[in-house]
Amino acid sequence: MGSQGGFGQSKEFLDLVKSIGETRSKSEEDRIILREIETIKRRILEPDIPRRKMKEYIIRLVYVEMLGHDASFGYIHAVKMAHDENLLHKRTGYLAVTLFLNEDHDLIILIVNTIQKDLKSDNYLVVFSALNAVCRLINEETIPAVLPQVVELLGHQKEAVRKKAIMTLHRFYQKSPSTVSHLISNFRKKLSDNDSGVMGASLYPLFDLITIDVKSYKDLVASFIKLLKILGLLGNGDKHASGQMYNVVGDLIRKCDASSNIGNAVLYECICCVASIYPSTKLLEATAEVIAKFLKNDNHNLKYMGIDVLGRLIKLSPDVTEQHQLAVIDCLEDLDDTLKRKTFELLHKMTKSSNVEVIVDGMIDYMTSINDFHYKIEIASRCVELAEQFAPSNHWFILTMNRIFEHAGDIVDIKVAHNLMRLIAKGFGGDHESADSQLRSYAVESYLHIVTEPKLPSAFLQVICWVLGEFGTADGNYSASNISGKLRDVAEAYSSDETVKAYAITALTKIYAFEITSGRKMDILPECQSLFEELAASRSADLQQRAYEFRTVVHLEAHAVKSIMPFDVSCEDIEVDITLPFLNSYVQQSLQNGAQPYIPEEQRSGTIDISNISNQVSRESSMHALKFEAYELPKLPAPSRPPLPVSNISTELVPVPEQSYSIREANTYPSIPSVSTSGPPELKLRLEGIQKKWGRPSYSSSPPSSSGVSPSTASEISQVESAASLSSRPQDNYKDLKKAEVKIAPEKQKLAASLFGDSSKSNKTTGTRHNTSRSDTLSIDKSTGSRSSVAPCCRDENSSSTTS
Amino acid sequence: MIRFILLQNRQGKTRLAKYYVPLEDSEKHKVEYEVHRLVVNRDPKFTNFVEFRTHKVIYRRYAGLFFSLCVDITDNELAYLECIHLFVEVLDHFFSNVCELDLVFNFHKVYLILDEFILAGEIQETSKRAIIERLGELEKLE
């Protein structure tokens, strides 16, 4: 603190404080204080003291009071200060007031009004100070005066205000319970308030209330359950936080009344909390006791909870479950479905390699018995998971997977099937060859038995076919004809399922290929033959392809077949060299024979326009895919361009003079430039001289310069317009049309000239008009012909740009 | 959170249905039918909690009515069991020895009570006294 003081206090104040601090004896201190009091007394009675000074005096008075002396002459001033508008002063006033006065003082009455007003204030700081004061000063009589406002404040936006409001209410309650009893519900509400501070604050009054009357608050437990959940979350993995919770939770566990449902609910929640936080041995013991009680209970509900809890604790202390083995098994056998499911969940969690067989078998049995679709999926996937993780032996694994597939093949993820295939192909890694082949032959055998069964799920069939194809003849136990016969049966039986058919066919192909490579000549069974012929004409391209593949393979010699279909390489990747080096010799040969070398597309010059245009179009369309900026506003043609309107009559399609291009580019389509050059300088459709497109062609009252607009020409215009309007719409086409038109412009010019050049002919007789019209139509036809040649060209480009 | 509350009798008629998740009408019918089937066949000695699709249904039978609450998997079952009981107690107090007919004829009041009690799928008020007081006030307004 500098010599000026932190808050601009006067030097006197500082001196006061300093001197008091330096005093050696009480009497000296008293002397100083008394002198101070005299000073202030004198000063305060002066009429017009600036607020700031007053504030300082009051602070000094507070100081004096703090030291034990009486400064009651200043109280009224403090009260007045609290009434001040300025927040700072107000706070000082309140502070002084709270310190000076107590609830029995007469001046309280004056304060109450101030407080009431302040509680309603918008400024929350003001409300704060008011609430503070309320806490300190309110007594029984004055409670009703401020109670409504405080209650209102419970719903205030600022959580700090809410917190204070609760504390105030708490205080009220302490003073006089009766006035506040109807507000108890508010307390509870605040318990579940969003802000933890408020929640914490509301705990205080609730605590008081509860200690008095425990029973009626039992239902508060629901909120406590939430609290426990929160505690669990907070302590998860965090040692320090958990440490703080141990006591609380331990107490709760001990005190909870286990006879009532709700007490058990709390207990359960406690245990869940314990399970999720950092472990502590004492708590774990306590929980173990509780679990024992749960499980021994006859009530199924409690057994359910017990098992659930066991599941949670299994990670922390596996031996807990061993104590309760019998109980668990009882639950498993129980008729109650829910209990059974819960127990299976528990078993799932405690599966180790030692008990996996039993558990999975049990699960599969259960799975076959249940009808509930959702649960079936879940349990099937769980079984698969366990089997994959803990399978003790290959045989068992295959057997189990077979069973699972049989019963739940359709709902198991197809990836599982592929996994199985891969597993059989690769073996279990690191095994000897013999073990692998044993596995495979076992698989083949089992599948051959199964395949004859009537209704098998599709995924399963796929696996079967694949395995039989790959490894069916490997060990030589079964003849190719045997297996192929079986495969054909499968393909026949499941003719509606294309995937299965495809698998079966490929398997057949493989079998025959292996036969050929191993040199065993064999005849294709007539049934298979007919199958392939049928498939060669199949609707499905996939099946057709496979059928043709088979046919080709079968006709190749052994060496070729071996390189195509080597044995047991299903897990190797196919490497493809994209430069196709093996064709090099062929290429060289043909080059020598005079074939032309390959010219990459960019360097080709043969196809000129179209490829250029298409390139341009694609480039432009990539540039102008979707135009998001607005078009530029149409530019008003300057009046100094009289010759322009002549050609502009022919609308946007006959782009004779170059300028019209730019105009058209700048303009939006509908703005047809008007004939009259002295058109009003505003931007709107200038349609004065334009022929109506629709309806009967009529003579327009156009100025002479537009006299070229005769009905025939109008219809021609419309014809031309309509012919080219298709291509003129899309902007891309417009652009390339422009380019195309650049080349055809001379023709257009001729057309334009023939149409409008002799404008004086507009008043000719019909005959000549017809003539002209005919010739014009001829030329029009030519132009439309050329245009139509352009149009499809454009349309092609359009389509090519869309396909590209 | 509570997904829906169903009051159904033994025959499968739904006396009260309050949903806190959006469901189509046809879905609602399906749900009600399934829940009823699930709940009505259970032995009284079995647990009061059943798994239903991906959630849980906690039910309790009072005379001829089944009170079913569908909650999330993570929720505390016993707490919701108590919640059902509290609801029944409030109904009892309000209608004085409530029976199914009371619920049928005063369904609007039952909905009111339910709204006082559970809001947006969470238990709002756990004090029986508070609920009843508030309902008393509402009654006076009528």
mmCIF file of all heavy atoms in Angstrom, chain A residues 368-388:
data_model
loop_
_atom_site.group_PDB
_atom_site.id
_atom_site.type_symbol
_atom_site.label_atom_id
_atom_site.label_comp_id
_atom_site.label_asym_id
_atom_site.label_seq_id
_atom_site.Cartn_x
_atom_site.Cartn_y
_atom_site.Cartn_z
ATOM 1 N N THR A 368 -30.231 -71.436 -28.609
ATOM 2 C CA THR A 368 -31.167 -72.169 -29.455
ATOM 3 C C THR A 368 -32.568 -72.124 -28.878
ATOM 4 O O THR A 368 -33.541 -72.306 -29.595
ATOM 5 C CB THR A 368 -30.747 -73.640 -29.575
ATOM 6 O OG1 THR A 368 -30.514 -74.129 -28.257
ATOM 7 C CG2 THR A 368 -29.486 -73.776 -30.371
ATOM 8 N N SER A 369 -32.647 -71.881 -27.594
ATOM 9 C CA SER A 369 -33.975 -71.959 -26.997
ATOM 10 C C SER A 369 -34.711 -70.640 -27.008
ATOM 11 O O SER A 369 -35.906 -70.595 -26.771
ATOM 12 C CB SER A 369 -33.857 -72.454 -25.555
ATOM 13 O OG SER A 369 -33.196 -71.458 -24.795
ATOM 14 N N ILE A 370 -34.020 -69.569 -27.265
ATOM 15 C CA ILE A 370 -34.731 -68.306 -27.125
ATOM 16 C C ILE A 370 -35.255 -67.816 -28.471
ATOM 17 O O ILE A 370 -34.726 -68.113 -29.508
ATOM 18 C CB ILE A 370 -33.832 -67.204 -26.536
ATOM 19 C CG1 ILE A 370 -32.542 -67.078 -27.332
ATOM 20 C CG2 ILE A 370 -33.551 -67.477 -25.109
ATOM 21 C CD1 ILE A 370 -31.679 -66.003 -26.782
ATOM 22 N N ASN A 371 -36.307 -67.084 -28.372
ATOM 23 C CA ASN A 371 -36.944 -66.591 -29.583
ATOM 24 C C ASN A 371 -36.673 -65.139 -29.831
ATOM 25 O O ASN A 371 -36.901 -64.630 -30.912
ATOM 26 C CB ASN A 371 -38.463 -66.763 -29.474
ATOM 27 C CG ASN A 371 -38.813 -68.223 -29.453
ATOM 28 O OD1 ASN A 371 -38.148 -69.004 -30.100
ATOM 29 N ND2 ASN A 371 -39.832 -68.571 -28.695
ATOM 30 N N ASP A 372 -36.205 -64.475 -28.820
ATOM 31 C CA ASP A 372 -36.051 -63.037 -28.924
ATOM 32 C C ASP A 372 -34.913 -62.692 -29.868
ATOM 33 O O ASP A 372 -33.780 -63.054 -29.632
ATOM 34 C CB ASP A 372 -35.780 -62.474 -27.523
ATOM 35 C CG ASP A 372 -35.670 -60.982 -27.560
ATOM 36 O OD1 ASP A 372 -35.995 -60.383 -28.602
ATOM 37 O OD2 ASP A 372 -35.267 -60.414 -26.534
ATOM 38 N N PHE A 373 -35.253 -62.001 -30.899
ATOM 39 C CA PHE A 373 -34.300 -61.763 -31.973
ATOM 40 C C PHE A 373 -33.090 -60.951 -31.503
ATOM 41 O O PHE A 373 -31.946 -61.307 -31.741
ATOM 42 C CB PHE A 373 -35.033 -61.043 -33.100
ATOM 43 C CG PHE A 373 -34.205 -60.852 -34.318
ATOM 44 C CD1 PHE A 373 -33.757 -61.927 -35.038
ATOM 45 C CD2 PHE A 373 -33.872 -59.583 -34.744
ATOM 46 C CE1 PHE A 373 -32.992 -61.751 -36.166
ATOM 47 C CE2 PHE A 373 -33.117 -59.400 -35.872
ATOM 48 C CZ PHE A 373 -32.671 -60.485 -36.589
ATOM 49 N N HIS A 374 -33.383 -59.861 -30.834
ATOM 50 C CA HIS A 374 -32.295 -58.964 -30.426
ATOM 51 C C HIS A 374 -31.284 -59.692 -29.565
ATOM 52 O O HIS A 374 -30.089 -59.609 -29.744
ATOM 53 C CB HIS A 374 -32.842 -57.800 -29.594
ATOM 54 C CG HIS A 374 -33.559 -56.803 -30.418
ATOM 55 N ND1 HIS A 374 -32.984 -55.636 -30.828
ATOM 56 C CD2 HIS A 374 -34.790 -56.810 -30.903
ATOM 57 C CE1 HIS A 374 -33.847 -54.960 -31.528
ATOM 58 N NE2 HIS A 374 -34.950 -55.645 -31.595
ATOM 59 N N TYR A 375 -31.859 -60.431 -28.629
ATOM 60 C CA TYR A 375 -30.963 -61.056 -27.691
ATOM 61 C C TYR A 375 -30.176 -62.167 -28.354
ATOM 62 O O TYR A 375 -29.035 -62.428 -27.992
ATOM 63 C CB TYR A 375 -31.762 -61.587 -26.497
ATOM 64 C CG TYR A 375 -30.861 -61.899 -25.361
ATOM 65 C CD1 TYR A 375 -30.062 -60.917 -24.811
ATOM 66 C CD2 TYR A 375 -30.770 -63.187 -24.871
ATOM 67 C CE1 TYR A 375 -29.206 -61.210 -23.787
ATOM 68 C CE2 TYR A 375 -29.917 -63.472 -23.839
ATOM 69 C CZ TYR A 375 -29.145 -62.478 -23.302
ATOM 70 O OH TYR A 375 -28.300 -62.768 -22.288
ATOM 71 N N LYS A 376 -30.815 -62.787 -29.336
ATOM 72 C CA LYS A 376 -30.121 -63.869 -30.016
ATOM 73 C C LYS A 376 -28.860 -63.351 -30.684
ATOM 74 O O LYS A 376 -27.786 -63.961 -30.602
ATOM 75 C CB LYS A 376 -31.063 -64.465 -31.075
ATOM 76 C CG LYS A 376 -30.826 -65.915 -31.335
ATOM 77 C CD LYS A 376 -31.992 -66.496 -32.105
ATOM 78 C CE LYS A 376 -31.761 -67.978 -32.354
ATOM 79 N NZ LYS A 376 -32.875 -68.616 -32.992
ATOM 80 N N ILE A 377 -28.997 -62.232 -31.335
ATOM 81 C CA ILE A 377 -27.833 -61.648 -31.992
ATOM 82 C C ILE A 377 -26.722 -61.408 -30.990
ATOM 83 O O ILE A 377 -25.557 -61.750 -31.207
ATOM 84 C CB ILE A 377 -28.194 -60.321 -32.666
ATOM 85 C CG1 ILE A 377 -29.274 -60.529 -33.704
ATOM 86 C CG2 ILE A 377 -26.977 -59.705 -33.297
ATOM 87 C CD1 ILE A 377 -29.671 -59.258 -34.376
ATOM 88 N N GLU A 378 -27.162 -60.837 -29.866
ATOM 89 C CA GLU A 378 -26.155 -60.481 -28.875
ATOM 90 C C GLU A 378 -25.420 -61.700 -28.367
ATOM 91 O O GLU A 378 -24.197 -61.727 -28.285
ATOM 92 C CB GLU A 378 -26.860 -59.789 -27.714
ATOM 93 C CG GLU A 378 -26.061 -58.681 -27.090
ATOM 94 C CD GLU A 378 -26.767 -58.144 -25.879
ATOM 95 O OE1 GLU A 378 -27.868 -57.619 -26.062
ATOM 96 O OE2 GLU A 378 -26.210 -58.289 -24.785
ATOM 97 N N ILE A 379 -26.210 -62.708 -28.062
ATOM 98 C CA ILE A 379 -25.571 -63.862 -27.462
ATOM 99 C C ILE A 379 -24.737 -64.601 -28.497
ATOM 100 O O ILE A 379 -23.655 -65.132 -28.179
ATOM 101 C CB ILE A 379 -26.636 -64.768 -26.797
ATOM 102 C CG1 ILE A 379 -26.088 -65.280 -25.474
ATOM 103 C CG2 ILE A 379 -27.071 -65.902 -27.652
ATOM 104 C CD1 ILE A 379 -26.998 -66.212 -24.755
ATOM 105 N N ALA A 380 -25.190 -64.621 -29.725
ATOM 106 C CA ALA A 380 -24.406 -65.278 -30.768
ATOM 107 C C ALA A 380 -23.062 -64.589 -30.931
ATOM 108 O O ALA A 380 -22.014 -65.238 -30.986
ATOM 109 C CB ALA A 380 -25.179 -65.267 -32.079
ATOM 110 N N SER A 381 -23.097 -63.280 -30.982
ATOM 111 C CA SER A 381 -21.826 -62.585 -31.166
ATOM 112 C C SER A 381 -20.916 -62.775 -29.966
ATOM 113 O O SER A 381 -19.696 -62.858 -30.095
ATOM 114 C CB SER A 381 -22.053 -61.106 -31.453
ATOM 115 O OG SER A 381 -22.958 -60.586 -30.557
ATOM 116 N N ARG A 382 -21.542 -62.872 -28.796
ATOM 117 C CA ARG A 382 -20.714 -63.111 -27.604
ATOM 118 C C ARG A 382 -20.051 -64.467 -27.682
ATOM 119 O O ARG A 382 -18.869 -64.635 -27.341
ATOM 120 C CB ARG A 382 -21.567 -63.026 -26.350
ATOM 121 C CG ARG A 382 -21.579 -61.672 -25.794
ATOM 122 C CD ARG A 382 -21.863 -61.712 -24.323
ATOM 123 N NE ARG A 382 -22.713 -60.597 -24.007
ATOM 124 C CZ ARG A 382 -23.831 -60.667 -23.324
ATOM 125 N NH1 ARG A 382 -24.224 -61.810 -22.844
ATOM 126 N NH2 ARG A 382 -24.546 -59.599 -23.121
ATOM 127 N N CYS A 383 -20.840 -65.448 -28.108
ATOM 128 C CA CYS A 383 -20.268 -66.800 -28.224
ATOM 129 C C CYS A 383 -19.097 -66.787 -29.182
ATOM 130 O O CYS A 383 -18.032 -67.359 -28.911
ATOM 131 C CB CYS A 383 -21.325 -67.772 -28.764
ATOM 132 S SG CYS A 383 -22.637 -68.127 -27.627
ATOM 133 N N VAL A 384 -19.301 -66.144 -30.299
ATOM 134 C CA VAL A 384 -18.237 -66.103 -31.303
ATOM 135 C C VAL A 384 -16.982 -65.468 -30.720
ATOM 136 O O VAL A 384 -15.865 -65.960 -30.871
ATOM 137 C CB VAL A 384 -18.719 -65.315 -32.533
ATOM 138 C CG1 VAL A 384 -17.560 -64.996 -33.429
ATOM 139 C CG2 VAL A 384 -19.758 -66.102 -33.285
ATOM 140 N N GLU A 385 -17.218 -64.391 -30.023
ATOM 141 C CA GLU A 385 -16.080 -63.684 -29.421
ATOM 142 C C GLU A 385 -15.303 -64.600 -28.498
ATOM 143 O O GLU A 385 -14.078 -64.715 -28.578
ATOM 144 C CB GLU A 385 -16.657 -62.545 -28.599
ATOM 145 C CG GLU A 385 -15.891 -61.269 -28.589
ATOM 146 C CD GLU A 385 -16.613 -60.290 -27.681
ATOM 147 O OE1 GLU A 385 -17.659 -59.777 -28.106
ATOM 148 O OE2 GLU A 385 -16.134 -60.088 -26.551
ATOM 149 N N LEU A 386 -16.059 -65.241 -27.623
ATOM 150 C CA LEU A 386 -15.401 -66.106 -26.653
ATOM 151 C C LEU A 386 -14.675 -67.236 -27.345
ATOM 152 O O LEU A 386 -13.546 -67.582 -26.998
ATOM 153 C CB LEU A 386 -16.431 -66.676 -25.685
ATOM 154 C CG LEU A 386 -16.953 -65.708 -24.643
ATOM 155 C CD1 LEU A 386 -18.002 -66.387 -23.802
ATOM 156 C CD2 LEU A 386 -15.816 -65.223 -23.776
ATOM 157 N N ALA A 387 -15.363 -67.814 -28.349
ATOM 158 C CA ALA A 387 -14.750 -68.951 -29.023
ATOM 159 C C ALA A 387 -13.445 -68.516 -29.689
ATOM 160 O O ALA A 387 -12.434 -69.205 -29.605
ATOM 161 C CB ALA A 387 -15.719 -69.527 -30.051
ATOM 162 N N GLU A 388 -13.486 -67.384 -30.321
ATOM 163 C CA GLU A 388 -12.267 -66.950 -31.002
ATOM 164 C C GLU A 388 -11.150 -66.665 -30.024
ATOM 165 O O GLU A 388 -9.984 -66.913 -30.305
ATOM 166 C CB GLU A 388 -12.561 -65.701 -31.831
ATOM 167 C CG GLU A 388 -13.232 -66.011 -33.144
ATOM 168 C CD GLU A 388 -13.621 -64.741 -33.870
ATOM 169 O OE1 GLU A 388 -13.308 -63.647 -33.351
ATOM 170 O OE2 GLU A 388 -14.223 -64.833 -34.934
#
